[in-house]
Amino acid sequence: MAYLIGIDVGSSSVKAAVLDIETGACVGDAFAPKEELVIESPQAGFAEQDPQTWYDNARIAVREAMTAARITGESVEGIGISYQMHGLVCVDKAKEVLRPAIIWCDSRAVSYGQAAFDAIGGEKCLAHLLNSPGNFTAMKLAWVKENQPEIYAKIDKVMLPGDWLAMKLTGEAQTTASGLSEGIFWDFKNNQICDFLLEQSGFSPDLIPEVVPTFSVQAKLTKKAADDFGLHAGTPVAYRAGDQPNNALSLNVLQPGEIAATAGTSGVVYGVTDQVKYDPQSRVNTFLHVNHTAEAPRLGVLLCINGTGIFNSWTRRMLGGLSYPEMNKLAEAVPVGSEGLTALPFGNGAERVLCNRNPGASMAGLDFNRHGRGHLCRALQEGIVFSFQYGIELMKPLGLDITKIRAGKANMFLSPLFCETLAGVSGAGIELYETDGSLGAARGAGVGAGVYGSLEEAFSSLKQVGTIEPKSGAYSEAYERWKSALHAKLS
């Protein structure tokens, strides 16, 4: 028997999964730590983590997953890595970390992104980067350069979180084109590292690690890493990708027009296109997808709603700790539109989809004589869905005509009402799958290591576990009322 291992490095935990190559089944998984990883915030708006904790918890998770699967390291054919996007890890010539990683939810670099956007010019930025430099990895490096020059002077290579973990496993500092695009280091127009951004920011090109294909035998485990993880020295690391492109991969979302969605603490809709386009207001972001090539462009357009599952969990606490199934049952007893009650879910920081504005969460149309707990439960789910639809409408001009949405059966996609509302307002069918980021990374490693002859073969065993088709109803009317409430809030 032969197996693949996928590692998914999040900001809350690290998960590992063991995939049986022959059956495509998950035979063991685990996550660590059991409590959430620590995020340090030395100043308001800062968010940092010690990269060593990713390695330490990956080791625990991999060993526990292998124990659950009852396998040994000699039977593992390849390792894939999924990781939290947009982070910055700086290492010196000895490959030692110079400072804590600045992670995705750190907002210190916003002003640096705006300064770069103004200096380069908005039209050039959007035409070449397809995004504003914003608060992405390159601008976090600009912050280090200006505020910690003594550290910046020692930097040999800058990496994304997954690049760093791969380096710890193999000893090789590497990255991918997809990763560089998520860090805003990539020139989409010329299909190369963005030289004018490096020049404007004063970054040496030598800071960028070797660029390797997303699916390939990138490097092999050192003896030390193999001993730490209970694996075999020489096992290839054969795939790496940011968490959202990897989530799309895990759902076999690879071709133009295909859509993946998640609805955890925050919510994401990620669509694949072959058109190099951008939103003039940069309300959605575009990156190279995992299977992009110059000959067959595949770009991922990403919409993020910060206030998704966190709104659901907050409401649950405010209602006295009802279970989510109980909340769903209360919501299902209320008609579409929640009898005029409208919820705006924007209470988890500035929303890029709203041009980085933070209107906060709110309820509109509350009637003390008509509305009860069920109305609150339904309105919050509708509000989250409608925020998805609001973003989906922004994605259409970028070449995404959405007719089907794929999602893992988890988090808010466990709610039939949530799924039915999303299908109803978008007109798209919902397909649910039993998969996650660590399993996607394992399948990706199988392709990179040559275990699978193609992506089609890698996903031939992926099983659909549910389908929700659009049904007619009063969704359009409720959505238009929701948009009116949003526009009133923003005016």
Side-chain angles (χ1 to χ4, degrees):
M1 302 289 286
Y3 303 90
L4 298 161
I5 287 180
I7 303 171
D8 187 10
V9 181
S11 50
S12 298
S13 66
V14 180
K15 183 175 181 185
V18 178
L19 187 81
D20 184 312
I21 291 172
E22 184 177 348
T23 66
C26 176
V27 293
D29 60 16
F31 70 93
K34 303 313 176 190
E35 301 294 330
E36 290 192 356
L37 283 168
V38 173
I39 297 177
E40 300 290 351
S41 185
Q43 294 183 39
F46 285 24
E48 301 181 343
Q49 288 183 321
D50 177 1
Q52 185 64 37
T53 63
W54 304 334
Y55 182 89
D56 293 342
N57 285 288
R59 178 183 59 80
I60 294 168
V62 167
R63 282 185 169 273
E64 289 184 356
M66 290 172 61
T67 298
R70 299 181 179 180
I71 68 166
T72 61
E74 287 73 16
S75 62
V76 176
E77 299 282 323
I79 299 167
I81 298 171
S82 168
Y83 57 88
Q84 49 173 299
M85 297 172 71
H86 315 311
L88 171 68
V89 185
C90 305
V91 301
D92 62 16
K93 289 185 182 297
K95 297 184 173 65
E96 295 295 327
V97 173
L98 289 165
R99 66 171 326 282
I102 304 176
I103 66 171
W104 65 277
C105 52
D106 185 292
S107 59
R108 76 185 71 185
V110 171
S111 62
Y112 291 82
Q114 187 60 50
F117 188 77
D118 294 340
I120 295 168
E123 184 176 340
K124 185 173 184 179
C125 270
L126 293 174
H128 288 261
L129 303 173
L130 305 189
N131 304 281
S132 161
N135 190 41
F136 296 115
T137 308
M139 296 302 102
K140 290 167 181 168
L141 180 61
W143 183 93
V144 173
K145 182 172 181 284
E146 180 169 314
N147 293 275
Q148 297 177 332
E150 71 289 352
I151 290 176
Y152 182 84
K154 297 176 183 177
I155 299 175
D156 180 59
K157 291 291 182 285
V158 295
M159 286 175 283
L160 298 156
D163 297 331
W164 179 85
L165 179 59
M167 184 200 73
K168 284 288 287 184
L169 293 172
T170 67
E172 301 293 335
Q174 299 170 323
T175 191
T176 63
S178 178
L180 290 172
S181 75
E182 74 174 72
I184 311 300
F185 286 109
W186 192 258
D187 184 337
F188 287 81
K189 200 166 187 177
N190 295 313
N191 206 42
Q192 63 181 36
I193 294 170
C194 187
D195 51 12
F196 68 79
L197 180 73
L198 297 180
E199 183 178 347
Q200 190 278 328
S201 301
F203 301 152
S204 167
D206 293 338
L207 294 176
I208 305 296
E210 175 193 8
V211 181
V212 295
T214 297
F215 302 96
S216 63
V217 175
Q218 298 166 353
K220 297 181 179 181
L221 254 63
T222 63
K223 184 179 186 307
K224 180 184 184 308
D227 290 344
D228 286 348
F229 280 68
L231 293 166
H232 183 66
T235 303
V237 171
Y239 167 84
R240 75 186 75 184
D243 52 11
Q244 295 307 327
N246 179 72
N247 179 67
L249 171 78
S250 73
L251 293 161
N252 197 24
V253 169
L254 297 164
Q255 302 306 326
E258 295 178 343
I259 305 292
T262 60
T265 300
S266 61
V268 169
V269 178
Y270 183 100
V272 179
T273 181
D274 57 1
Q275 300 180 34
V276 182
K277 293 184 176 181
Y278 58 86
D279 174 51
Q281 298 181 58
S282 203
R283 293 166 293 180
V284 294
N285 303 122
T286 302
F287 310 114
L288 295 179
H289 196 31
V290 293
N291 60 334
H292 169 82
T293 65
E295 299 74 28
R298 296 292 182 269
L299 282 66
V301 181
L302 186 152
L303 151 76
C304 182
I305 305 294
N306 293 336
T308 303
I310 193 171
F311 187 23
N312 201 26
S313 63
W314 180 88
T315 304
R316 175 176 174 266
R317 293 194 303 273
M318 294 305 104
L319 292 176
L322 292 174
S323 69
Y324 291 122
E326 287 171 333
M327 290 174 65
N328 291 340
K329 188 174 181 179
L330 286 170
E332 288 166 0
V334 174
V336 174
S338 305
E339 295 189 304
L341 184 61
T342 296
L344 300 179
F346 307 112
N348 193 28
E351 298 280 359
R352 194 171 184 99
V353 73
L354 302 179
C355 299
N356 294 318
R357 297 177 70 177
N358 182 9
S362 60
M363 292 278 183
L366 181 62
D367 186 327
F368 298 136
N369 298 308
R370 297 173 61 210
H371 296 142
R373 295 189 303 173
H375 294 86
L376 292 174
C377 293
R378 178 154 198 138
L380 83 87
Q381 291 204 33
E382 289 183 337
I384 294 165
V385 167
F386 294 159
S387 68
F388 276 38
Q389 177 62 16
Y390 186 79
I392 285 171
E393 290 177 353
L394 302 179
M395 297 169 77
K396 288 183 179 179
L398 305 183
L400 288 158
D401 184 17
I402 298 172
T403 59
K404 198 154 291 192
I405 298 171
R406 295 178 189 165
K409 191 174 182 181
N411 301 312
M412 295 204 69
F413 281 98
L414 291 169
S415 165
L417 174 63
F418 183 87
C419 296
E420 289 164 9
T421 305
L422 181 56
V425 73
S426 67
I430 312 292
E431 295 179 351
L432 300 177
Y433 295 84
E434 290 285 2
T435 188
D436 64 18
S438 57
L439 290 171
R443 292 181 192 273
V447 175
V451 171
Y452 299 122
S454 65
L455 285 163
E456 291 76 15
E457 182 183 348
F459 287 91
S460 61
S461 59
L462 181 65
K463 289 183 173 56
Q464 187 176 318
V465 295
T467 304
I468 300 92
E469 294 299 332
K471 296 178 182 177
S472 59
Y475 299 108
S476 295
E477 179 184 343
Y479 176 56
E480 290 303 319
R481 186 171 61 251
W482 182 90
K483 280 203 295 187
S484 295
L486 174 62
H487 294 157
K489 186 78 171 176
L490 294 175
S491 63

